[in-house]
Amino acid sequence: MMPCHNISGKDLALPPFKRVALAFSGGGDSTALVHMLRRRTPRPVVLIVDHALRPGSRREAEAALEFAQTHGYDARILTWDHDNPVSGLQEKARKARYGLLGQACREMGIKYLVTAHTEDDQAETLLMRYDRKTDWRGAAGMADVTYAPLWPELAGVSICRPMLEISRAALRDYNTRHDLAWCEDPGNENLDFSRIRARKHLAVRPKLRRHLL
């Protein structure tokens, strides 16, 4: 586990001398990621996905765009054009999100997409996989770098997860120390989503969280 204090972009292992794209939601984790890498060379491009699933999502995407541009990034909003799906919403949104991100990366010749997955995301993912009776492959958890983990959405693109040893709480502390504002997705309280149920379950079971990690 990485220490909570004095986290900086220097702590994040990324492919050297490669231009990367940052997936930015405007949430607490990705806000810290974008801020940490603001001085990276070559400068990353920031990609923001508007899922257009609820009122206010466009406003939040535009606020994220402004934040990125204020910190010197080339940033753009990618919008999911859909027919208001009801069933399987989480999985459909995930595939759409990575489809848009992957397409944007390919168009710009970028081979690495950096996400803000944290230590907590890792624990949640493992808990959900064990709940589904995963085999040894799933029990390995998320890797720091994975080539095209979703096909064909991420064809030709590797996902980089440089914050898997940083907790969500440490990133919130980072944001507070740097006076950074972020938005909270209302979906983070929706217990219809398996990840949110896993998150709530682990929040009161620190020993299980440690065991999974």
Side-chain angles (χ1 to χ4, degrees):
M1 182 186 301
M2 196 171 292
C4 293
H5 301 296
N6 301 319
I7 301 170
S8 73
K10 296 177 181 178
D11 298 314
L12 306 185
L14 293 174
F17 313 117
K18 299 289 186 180
R19 191 179 185 215
V20 302
L22 309 182
F24 183 34
S25 68
D29 303 335
S30 60
T31 293
L33 175 70
V34 168
H35 189 264
M36 285 182 196
L37 295 178
R38 66 195 185 282
R39 297 190 180 94
R40 175 181 163 86
T41 302
R43 186 176 294 278
V45 61
V46 169
L47 301 176
I48 302 153
V49 174
D50 177 9
H51 293 89
L53 288 170
R54 55 182 174 78
S57 69
R58 190 68 186 184
R59 184 172 62 252
E60 292 168 6
E62 289 171 351
L65 180 72
E66 181 180 0
F67 178 89
Q69 291 175 336
T70 297
H71 287 88
Y73 288 99
D74 170 20
R76 60 197 68 182
I77 297 174
L78 313 172
T79 304
W80 182 21
D81 183 16
H82 55 78
D83 57 357
N84 296 310
V86 177
S87 62
L89 181 59
Q90 246 192 336
E91 183 59 21
K92 288 176 181 176
R94 175 176 176 268
K95 287 186 175 182
R97 175 170 64 256
Y98 282 121
L100 290 166
L101 293 168
Q103 180 180 348
C105 286
R106 287 188 293 272
E107 289 174 353
M108 292 183 287
I110 293 175
K111 298 184 180 298
Y112 295 94
L113 174 67
V114 182
T115 67
H117 288 102
T118 68
E119 186 179 76
D120 297 272
D121 291 307
Q122 182 76 287
E124 293 158 10
T125 295
L126 286 164
L127 181 62
M128 291 188 293
R129 288 180 180 179
Y130 279 120
D131 191 52
R132 295 194 299 266
K133 313 300 182 188
T134 188
D135 62 9
W136 62 269
R137 296 174 185 84
M142 294 184 287
D144 294 334
V145 181
T146 309
Y147 176 74
L150 192 63
W151 191 274
E153 288 82 0
L154 289 170
V157 179
S158 292
I159 292 287
C160 298
R161 308 177 183 93
M163 303 202 298
L164 287 178
E165 294 186 4
I166 305 177
S167 71
R168 194 171 289 134
L171 293 174
R172 297 304 191 275
D173 288 345
Y174 175 92
N175 291 342
T176 300
R177 290 199 310 274
H178 291 86
D179 197 26
L180 305 177
W182 68 91
C183 68
E184 293 290 354
D185 185 345
N188 288 339
E189 297 299 323
N190 189 342
L191 292 176
D192 289 338
F193 298 151
S194 57
R195 179 167 295 276
I196 304 308
R197 292 196 299 274
R199 185 170 302 172
K200 298 291 186 183
H201 188 81
L202 290 172
V204 294
R205 295 171 175 83
K207 289 183 179 179
L208 175 58
R209 178 184 180 279
R210 288 195 298 272
H211 177 70
L212 288 166
L213 293 170

